[in-house]
Amino acid sequence: MPVERLLPTPESRDLIALVRDIADAELAPRADAAESSGEYPRELLRLLGRSGVLGLPYDEDFGGGGQPFQVYLQVIEELAARWATVGLSVSVHTLSCWPLVAVGTDEQRKRWLPDMIGGELLGAYCLSEPHAGSDAAALSTRAVRVGDDYVLKGTKAWITHGGLADFYTVFARTSDDGPRGISCFLVPADAAGLSFGTPEKKMGFTGSPTTLVHFDDVRLPAERRIGDEGAGFGLALQALDSGRLGVAAGATGLAQSALDVAVAYAKQREQFGQPIITHQGLGFLLADMAAAVEASRATYLVAAQRRDLGMSYRHQASVAKLIATDAAMKVTTDAVQVLGGSGYTRDYPVERYFREAKVMQIFEGTNQIQRLVIARSLERSE
Amino acid sequence: MKIVALVKHVPDAAADRTFNEADHTTDRTNVDGILSELDEYAVEAALKIAESGDAEVVALTMGPDAALDAVKRALQMGADSGAHVADDALHGSDAVATSAVLAAAIQKIGDVDLILTGMASTDGGMSVVPAMLAERLGLAHVGFVGELNVEAGSVRARRDADVTETVEAALPAIVSVTDQINEPRYPSFKGIMAAKKKPVETWSLADLGVDAGTVGLAAAWTTVETVTKRPERTQGEIVTDEGDGGAKLVEFLAGQKFV
């Protein structure tokens, strides 16, 4: 049964229907095989771009969908419910476009955004480094101004779409002034000096590559700097607030799918002469899973609605990321339990969901960092 | 150039389709309706021609209120306008009546150069309406087309019937296309938004000048007298391979007279 959604407009209902159509026909049937073979569905991202799904929260002037964040996130949830890799891929791509949308010049936007939002140019977001993960402000990749150019040197880590993306949104140090010394750059994939590590051998999300990205004196014209020099870290944090909501929505979709599989199985699997869902011990387990999924959705939607209303939402974004990804871990773990031995095999998708859920507690700010953000916001509150 | 794509609203073939108990007509109430998948190929073919030249595409349907959804889908895909023939008297119409009504609608649209249809509907599945329409309108008809090129004043089409042949026909003409001709697009979000502003005309039988007594169940040349539900699928036979799996499979197939 499709999730009954609270959507603000008739057009958003049409959008969700379109996304479901595409996700059911194009994503769901391919997910298992592609996750096994590690083949990234690049063509599907183009299809999503052509269908208008890659720039939903951005202005129609830039080729975007002009949709409120609460609608965009529900699209991510629908995609992730069919194929988590694609849901997160869209979230990462949207995040990679964000600095250009937010502070790019008209000329920069006109030049790059249509192809980014249209799905022809796939993005990657390069903030983390081998020694600057949770402490992102400690990043050491340098961008040195040389005449009309910048020269980038350093290594980024854990980059989704590494080696596959057409552009890299890179945060690099233009001065030693701590967080105020960081600037944002748009690096094309064919830049000389750009290279990639071997894809990480991951527990899940095997359908998309995650790599180191090396910048070995990559020379960029200054027109590829996005926003002012030194404004990068603020941009990175704002992008992360939105990105965390993307992860929360993706985690909710994943958990919803795990719940759906578990409920369907528990209805048809009989033990002691009756469907196992009617055994109270199992029924209560499913009830807790359903409650966790619905709480996740409600939590990310509240944060998104605050964003849509122009209210601060950093605290709520961290709450949503924490709640939804912890819930996804619990729900997918319990889904394996509901399916018993079958759940532990690759004949059913729940063992994959379980592996995919784990990283959601880690990326886009570990859940420990989310707690730190929340605790600091409590500390500062009046 | 003006192209009319015929679009039929049918019960979703993926759902459990039934007939109305009273008159054995297709049950359209208790099942989700969609644009017949086979008609999506006709819409796509029309849009491709329109994109490569200067043509407008009109999506035409006949059916109850819900049939408008088939037109809507075509508009979302990119058709320019729609026309919907709706009249209570049409209930239970057979192919003969359907072709008469559609012919009248096409004449009302006027100045049509090319009419594109699917190779069959996914509910009735008779594949006769395009030929009947051609007869009524006095136009050339090329059926089961897997490749289509529009040239000045004519169409060249690869017809995939028992043999494959390339046929040329002068415009105006009626062409039914197969599922080999293209890969129908998904509507885009922008297409969905734009479709809301596209013009759709709704016509009754009176608007088309068709006598209500010549259509509908009472005027149909054929009647469905009884309906039998497809038997439930039975549990298959599982052959366990104990070293003699191959022999057992052959034995089973021979028993069913397959080998």
Side-chain angles (χ1 to χ4, degrees), chain A residues 1-220:
Chain A
M1 276 297 285
V3 174
E4 255 185 65
R5 300 193 173 279
L6 302 173
L7 292 161
T9 55
E11 69 179 30
S12 56
R13 285 192 280 279
D14 288 341
L15 171 65
I16 290 288
L18 168 71
V19 168
R20 281 181 178 156
D21 255 9
I22 297 177
D24 284 338
E26 309 289 342
L27 268 55
R30 296 184 191 164
D32 258 327
E35 289 296 321
S36 296
S37 66
E39 204 172 316
Y40 182 78
R42 181 68 184 88
E43 204 40 51
L44 278 184
L45 270 286
R46 284 201 183 88
L47 170 65
L48 292 173
R50 282 198 298 275
S51 306
V53 176
L54 290 189
L56 286 173
Y58 302 141
D59 270 6
E60 285 156 282
D61 292 350
F62 310 142
Q67 290 302 296
F69 226 66
Q70 56 165 318
V71 173
Y72 157 68
L73 290 179
Q74 296 193 69
V75 167
I76 296 286
E77 188 198 320
E78 290 282 345
L79 294 172
R82 285 15 172 257
W83 191 352
T85 288
V86 174
L88 267 296
S89 200
V90 172
S91 176
V92 166
H93 174 77
T94 307
L95 189 67
S96 313
C97 300
W98 190 80
L100 180 57
V101 172
V103 299
T105 63
D106 281 349
E107 202 189 324
Q108 287 175 321
R109 288 172 180 155
K110 257 189 221 130
R111 186 165 158 200
W112 292 305
L113 269 181
D115 279 344
M116 292 177 174
I117 289 176
E120 289 309 315
L121 299 179
L122 182 70
Y125 188 81
C126 303
L127 177 63
S128 294
E129 297 184 357
H131 301 290
S134 292
D135 184 8
L139 65 86
S140 64
T141 295
R142 290 209 158 263
V144 178
R145 184 84 192 226
V146 181
D148 287 342
D149 295 340
Y150 284 93
V151 177
L152 271 67
K153 193 171 184 62
T155 294
K156 294 289 176 181
W158 310 115
I159 306 307
T160 301
H161 302 157
L164 188 88
D166 301 292
F167 69 92
Y168 295 80
T169 301
V170 181
F171 296 90
R173 190 161 284 294
T174 40
S175 85
D176 289 324
D177 191 10
R180 281 182 297 279
I182 295 169
S183 306
C184 177
F185 298 90
L186 208 58
V187 181
D190 59 1
L194 185 65
S195 65
F196 309 96
T198 318
E200 308 291 348
K201 295 190 176 66
K202 293 175 293 181
M203 183 192 275
F205 283 92
T206 39
S208 83
T210 303
T211 70
L212 290 170
V213 179
H214 306 292
F215 300 85
D216 193 7
D217 289 335
V218 171
R219 209 175 178 93
L220 286 182

Side-chain angles (χ1 to χ4, degrees), chain A residues 11 14-15 18 21 25-26 50-51 63 67, chain B residues 73 76 183 186-190 192-193 196:
Chain A
E11 69 179 30
D14 288 341
L15 171 65
L18 168 71
D21 255 9
E26 309 289 342
R50 282 198 298 275
S51 306
Q67 290 302 296
Chain B
R73 174 84 179 187
Q76 291 174 348
E183 192 57 51
Y186 285 97
S188 69
F189 184 42
K190 284 195 178 64
I192 290 173
M193 294 300 98
K196 293 182 196 296

